[in-house]
Amino acid sequence: MNRDPPSPPRGDSPVWCPPGSGELLRCPSCRLQLWEPVTVSCGHSLCTPCLGGAVPARCPLCQEKLKLLGVGGPRRNVVLCNLLEKCEDRGRRLAGLVARVRHHLTRGEAKEALGMAQKGVELAPDDISLRRCRAEAFVALGQYPEALEDLEAVCKAEPTEHEILAQEDAARPRAAHRGSSGPQAGGDSGDPASPSARAQDQEEELEASRGAVVSEHIQGTPTPGQQQEPGAEAERQHGLLAANEEGTEAAKCNQPYLGELLSISDLECSLCIRMFLEPVTTPCGHTFCKECLERCLDHRPNCPLCKQSLREYLKAGSYSCTVLLQDIMLATFPAQLAERRELHQAEMAELSNLTKNIPIFVCTMSFPGVACPLHVFEPRYRLMIRQCQEAGTRRFGMCVYETGKSFADYGCMLEIRQLELLADGRSLVDTVGGRRFRVLRRGHRDGYNTADIEYLEDKKVAGEELQELQSLHESTYELAQRFCEHGDVASRRLLMQHGPLPEKEEDIQASADGPMWCWWLISILPLDPSFQLRLFSSTSLRARLTQLQRILLALLQQPPAAHPLPEHSPRGHI
Ligand SMILES: [Zn+2]
Ligand SMILES: [Zn+2]
Ligand SMILES: [Zn+2]
Ligand SMILES: [Zn+2]
């Protein structure tokens, strides 16, 4: 470890960072390549040793207050660990191969060197350093045309970088070269967390954690004792890498970019089997698309992979995006990420259509302009409300249940005014009725009902007919006022719950649904639901007013005790 005293121990060790990853894979805290990253509640990722076995009070990057949210200690991010392992594995493997080929060449074992180089080129056809090695082996065996072919490929691939490298190699003393190969970070000699020891530990850990996903949570963080003893394999690797600095450097600089080391499947959500969209990492270290995880949590507050309770996580409700994963996706598969986002936007656009396939909440009768508070706890409706919010419409259709049809032929659009999310995922949704509609076609999506609809519109009248309608409107409104003022105690108490009778409107035909006060009255009068629905579906204001007048007169003529209003609340319980 200390073959080169002037260099700091960490800088001396070969810390391999895939080119093109730049600062991406560095820990924001120690500035070294991330080791066993833990994604904290703000969405940033830090090395396990940087956390020192506990979550710091604040994130060193964004200063956000951090919480553990129901798990005993920080858990490593499984997806990020796998990505790092994959990057490091191939890089190290190729660097090792180059070193071995050179080893054979210096000993005059050209055939062995060629065999090994051949294997390497098959493994990584795009790796220039391996092509160069093979060319040297060909030369040693006198196979000049083949050597020339390889060298041409090398020059073609990256002539400029290659030339620069050659110049740099010639100009720089070896020790300085080696010193500059690692990150410039200080540290005590014999640091238990030195990168090669870490790499070894990581390998062992990952090896051990392969298999059942659940088992990885039983494993603790490696003890300092384990970390202090890098295995023989690491020593050998280290020796191989150090054996030929030039080979190692060439391998490093000519490594394929991050995108070539990873495949899309490394960045897939295990729930939707698509590329992560807004990846979020749970306190247990598992990563899913935000939307996918939320859907799971609608059903039960546990991690879909390891069953860890996510009650606290759900309660905090922040679902911070895993920043590093998002950055890696952007750096490696920008086109696919854009495609994934477009697909999502198309789905959202479909959700925001307000006549085709609109979400239908089957629960209670609701009316234009009348408040309709809802208690939402059924998973499918939780999803529905979230989708309405996300699509930006904040609207859905409300219909009553009807035997044999799943829901009635007529309904009312509801607009979400306020949403109170409860700690366990249920929500109190304050909505108000919008336009009435008629169902044209019934459908399903994500477990809830949908419908193609057409909006209802009251037939407009003019001239004499309008004058008649206006006087009918006046007299009915007066009756409504009398009813509200002179009803019995029970009905007045009920009326108080719903506030005063709404004001008259200037233009009774301004709204497609007619004056709002009519709907308010219909919503509180003790009417048979089927009769309510009949009034609701009528597009004649005249017919509606006539019916209302008839009902009000009947109610006012009855002795107070004979028409107690039913003790009902319009709050729908779903
Ligand atoms: Zn760190
Ligand atoms: Zn942060
Ligand atoms: Zn997903
Ligand atoms: Zn989990």
Side-chain angles (χ1 to χ4, degrees):
M1 296 296 285
N2 292 316
R3 287 170 298 108
D4 192 10
S7 306
R10 282 184 182 189
D12 188 21
S13 309
V15 175
W16 190 81
C17 254
S21 65
E23 288 289 292
L24 211 56
L25 300 182
R26 290 201 192 287
C27 164
S29 178
C30 65
R31 309 299 304 147
L32 290 173
Q33 185 177 343
L34 278 165
W35 184 76
E36 301 270 278
V38 172
T39 300
V40 286
S41 55
C42 61
H44 287 121
S45 304
L46 307 157
C47 312
T48 300
C50 285
L51 292 174
V55 165
R58 282 179 189 278
C59 168
L61 211 66
C62 69
Q63 305 303 319
E64 195 181 300
K65 272 192 180 168
L66 299 179
K67 295 170 214 120
L68 260 178
L69 300 173
V71 289
R75 303 263 182 95
R76 59 196 192 92
N77 182 320
V78 179
V79 169
L80 283 179
C81 283
N82 288 343
L83 292 184
L84 286 170
E85 182 199 21
K86 212 167 166 184
C87 292
E88 209 170 286
D89 253 17
R90 190 177 133 143
R92 267 197 305 195
R93 221 164 45 222
L94 293 184
L97 260 174
V98 169
R100 279 190 215 195
V101 174
R102 294 202 169 279
H103 179 71
H104 284 304
L105 280 172
T106 48
R107 292 174 62 162
E109 300 158 356
K111 266 196 173 160
E112 287 81 354
L114 181 63
M116 202 143 257
Q118 209 78 282
K119 213 173 96 185
V121 173
E122 274 167 33
L123 189 77
D126 46 3
D127 189 83
I128 301 168
S129 59
L130 279 164
R131 290 296 286 268
R132 198 167 63 174
C133 281
R134 192 169 71 172
E136 281 176 46
F138 278 135
V139 170
L141 289 167
Q143 292 176 248
Y144 300 113
E146 288 88 346
L148 207 62
E149 204 180 306
D150 267 351
L151 286 173
E152 266 170 12
V154 170
C155 294
K156 222 178 192 171
E158 277 187 37
T160 330
E161 193 185 351
H162 201 69
E163 279 159 23
I164 291 167
L165 257 176
Q167 284 164 10
E168 277 179 3
D169 276 358
R172 243 187 302 182
R174 186 147 289 191
H177 193 157
R178 191 168 54 205
S180 68
S181 67
Q184 298 298 308
D188 308 326
S189 49
D191 182 352
S194 80
S196 67
R198 283 180 190 186
Q200 176 60 19
D201 270 333
Q202 182 182 8
E203 217 164 63
E204 284 170 0
E205 268 256 314
L206 288 168
E207 201 61 57
S209 67
R210 273 191 202 112
V213 181
V214 186
S215 71
E216 111 225 333
H217 297 286
I218 301 159
Q219 299 210 347
T221 336
T223 63
Q226 281 174 309
Q227 287 178 354
Q228 268 162 350
E229 289 167 11
E233 174 63 21
E235 285 284 30
R236 198 181 54 77
Q237 287 264 15
H238 189 275
L240 271 174
L241 290 170
N244 194 316
E245 284 296 330
E246 195 199 343
T248 312
E249 286 303 312
K252 267 189 203 178
C253 297
N254 296 324
Q255 282 305 326
Y257 284 80
L258 202 54
E260 291 169 42
L261 295 173
L262 307 176
S263 62
I264 298 255
S265 62
D266 297 320
L267 299 163
E268 257 173 20
C269 163
S270 55
L271 294 172
C272 64
I273 326 292
R274 291 194 286 186
M275 197 177 192
F276 286 118
L277 185 82
E278 289 185 68
V280 293
T281 303
T282 57
C284 52
H286 291 119
T287 307
F288 311 95
C289 309
K290 178 169 173 269
E291 195 186 313
C292 293
L293 180 64
E294 280 183 313
R295 283 190 189 203
C296 279
L297 296 180
D298 283 342
H299 294 268
R300 63 168 54 124
N302 296 82
C303 171
L305 279 180
C306 70
K307 308 295 170 220
Q308 159 78 40
S309 166
L310 296 178
R311 225 171 267 277
E312 291 292 312
Y313 181 67
L314 179 68
K315 200 167 149 187
S318 57
Y319 308 117
S320 303
C321 179
T322 306
V323 184
L324 179 57
L325 204 53
Q326 188 72 32
D327 290 346
I328 290 175
M329 290 196 293
L330 201 63
T332 51
F333 301 104
Q336 288 86 342
L337 184 64
E339 205 177 291
R340 176 76 175 93
R341 283 178 175 158
E342 268 167 36
L343 189 74
H344 181 71
Q345 269 157 13
E347 284 168 1
M348 282 297 118
E350 201 194 303
L351 285 174
S352 49
N353 190 316
L354 287 175
T355 50
K356 286 237 175 313
N357 238 336
I358 65 154
I360 299 289
F361 204 124
V362 183
C363 178
T364 183
M365 196 74 208
S366 58
F367 304 90
V370 179
C372 181
L374 298 165
H375 172 202
V376 180
F377 57 82
E378 240 186 89
R380 56 181 172 157
Y381 290 131
R382 288 191 200 182
L383 171 64
M384 192 190 94
I385 297 288
R386 215 168 37 241
Q387 285 176 338
C388 289
Q389 293 279 90
E390 224 179 292
T393 62
R394 297 174 67 92
R395 262 174 276 191
F396 56 90
M398 174 62 86
C399 289
V400 282
Y401 174 77
E402 200 173 303
T403 329
K405 279 183 176 173
S406 72
F407 54 92
D409 289 333
Y410 294 89
C412 185
M413 288 305 283
L414 286 182
E415 194 182 330
I416 302 169
R417 288 192 294 198
Q418 223 174 5
L419 186 100
E420 190 191 337
L421 201 69
L422 303 178
D424 57 4
R426 289 178 300 131
S427 53
L428 297 176
V429 190
D430 176 32
T431 69
V432 64
R435 294 192 61 182
R436 295 169 296 157
F437 60 80
R438 189 166 78 90
V439 173
L440 300 175
R441 200 182 61 84
R442 288 169 171 78
H444 285 276
R445 179 177 56 222
D446 296 330
Y448 57 76
N449 291 292
T450 61
D452 289 353
I453 57 161
E454 68 175 6
Y455 291 102
L456 296 183
E457 199 162 337
D458 279 349
K459 284 185 221 94
K460 292 202 175 175
V461 294
E464 216 171 289
E465 233 182 311
L466 178 60
Q467 277 179 5
E468 260 177 54
L469 187 66
Q470 250 151 356
S471 68
L472 176 66
H473 172 261
E474 289 301 313
S475 58
T476 317
Y477 191 79
E478 272 167 36
L479 277 177
Q481 276 177 316
R482 263 177 57 203
F483 173 76
C484 291
E485 282 155 21
H486 305 294
D488 58 75
V489 181
S491 44
R492 254 184 291 167
R493 203 174 54 215
L494 189 75
L495 287 171
M496 268 163 64
Q497 282 178 18
H498 299 279
L501 175 71
E503 293 284 316
K504 276 188 290 186
E505 282 147 51
E506 288 256 317
D507 179 0
I508 56 169
Q509 295 194 108
S511 157
D513 298 300
M516 207 275 276
W517 67 265
C518 291
W519 298 118
W520 179 87
L521 204 61
I522 291 169
S523 76
I524 63 163
L525 288 176
L527 303 174
D528 184 76
S530 62
F531 183 68
Q532 248 179 353
L533 199 62
R534 234 167 62 213
L535 282 178
F536 184 85
S537 58
S538 163
T539 50
S540 159
L541 175 58
R542 187 196 173 83
R544 201 152 60 239
L545 288 169
T546 312
Q547 290 293 349
L548 268 178
Q549 202 162 70
R550 202 173 57 82
I551 299 159
L552 286 168
L553 280 170
L555 286 171
L556 283 165
Q557 275 163 15
Q558 280 174 22
H563 63 92
L565 291 173
E567 287 277 342
H568 82 291
S569 149
R571 170 170 287 219
H573 282 266
I574 272 293

